[in-house]
Amino acid sequence: MAEAERIINTPDTPEDGAHQAPEQAAERERTGRGRRIAVLFAVAAFAYALDLISKTLVVAKLEGRAPIKLVGDLLELHAIRNPGAAFGFGAAFTVIFTVIAASVIVVIMRLARKLYSFPWAVALGLLLGGALGNLTDRIFRSPGVFNGQVVDFIAPKGFAIFNLADSAIVCGGILIVLLSFRGLDPDGTVHKD
C-alpha cells in the first residue's frame, strides 16, 4: 500500500517536481517544443493546402464566369486577379509584397526555435500557411515570377474580395494580438504589463 501511495504522489511533470533529474526535465522541454513546432507546421500545411485547393478550383471553374451568389447579395464567389495587397492597394508594388511575404516566412521560422506556446503555434501556423499561399501565387502565377497576381474570390457585399490565405493571415494576426494582450509570449512565459 505504501508503495502504491508513493507512486501516486510522485510528481511526473516539470511543474510538479523538483525531484526530476535535469536530463528528464530537458527531455520534456525538447518534447514540448517539438510538439508545438509540429502544431505550427500542421496548421500551416492545412491552411496552405486549403488555399491551394480553393484557388485551383476557382481558376478552373469560376474564372471568366459570372459570380456565384451564396447568400443572396451578401456573399458571392467572384474570381479576380489581384496584383496588390489587401483591398487592391499597391498594385505597382507586387515585388515588394513578394519580399514582405518571404520575410514573414523567415521570421516565423526563426521564432519557431523558441516556441513553447500552443496558442502561438496555432497563430504562427495560420500566418505561415497564409503567407505561403499568397507567396505561391506571387511566384508562379502570371504575369511572371515575383510579379504574379493573387487569386481572390470571396466577395462579401461592401467589402474587399479576398481568399483563404488572407483569412488565415487575418485570423493568425488577431490571435497574436489577443495573446499579446493576455501577456503570453511565444516561449510560453506570461508577463504582466
Side-chain angles (χ1 to χ4, degrees):
M1 185 68 167
E3 179 65 21
E5 201 171 282
R6 186 182 64 76
I7 291 172
I8 291 171
N9 292 326
T10 301
D12 63 349
T13 63
E15 300 83 32
D16 292 334
H19 299 88
Q20 286 189 324
E23 299 85 25
Q24 289 174 323
E27 179 59 30
R28 284 184 190 272
E29 188 172 304
R30 279 192 299 275
T31 304
R33 188 185 71 165
R35 287 184 186 141
R36 298 321 181 271
I37 291 172
V39 167
L40 184 153
F41 288 118
V43 169
F46 183 72
Y48 182 59
L50 281 180
D51 184 63
L52 285 180
I53 292 166
S54 65
K55 288 175 180 173
T56 300
L57 289 171
V58 164
V59 168
K61 305 286 184 187
L62 189 60
E63 202 166 47
R65 296 191 174 97
I68 297 173
K69 294 182 184 295
L70 293 180
V71 184
D73 289 336
L74 296 177
L75 181 64
E76 296 180 340
L77 295 180
H78 180 78
I80 65 162
R81 298 287 180 117
N82 181 1
F87 311 108
F89 168 75
F93 302 106
T94 304
V95 173
I96 293 171
F97 296 129
T98 303
V99 171
I100 291 169
S103 300
V104 166
I105 292 167
V106 169
V107 168
I108 291 170
M109 301 302 267
R110 291 188 59 135
L111 271 175
R113 294 183 300 172
K114 300 176 184 179
L115 188 62
Y116 289 94
S117 166
F118 178 81
W120 270 94
V122 172
L124 292 175
L126 288 168
L127 284 178
L128 180 59
L132 284 169
N134 284 339
L135 183 61
T136 300
D137 282 359
R138 300 259 183 232
I139 293 173
F140 296 109
R141 294 204 189 273
S142 62
V145 177
F146 300 117
N147 287 308
Q149 298 178 347
V150 174
V151 175
D152 287 335
F153 58 92
I154 303 169
K157 184 177 182 177
F159 195 71
I161 301 175
F162 57 95
N163 58 44
L164 294 181
D166 298 333
S167 298
I169 291 168
V170 169
C171 290
I174 289 170
L175 185 53
I176 286 171
V177 169
L178 293 173
L179 293 171
S180 297
F181 276 128
R182 293 192 66 205
L184 181 61
D185 291 333
D187 64 2
T189 59
V190 178
H191 63 273
K192 304 279 186 196
D193 285 341

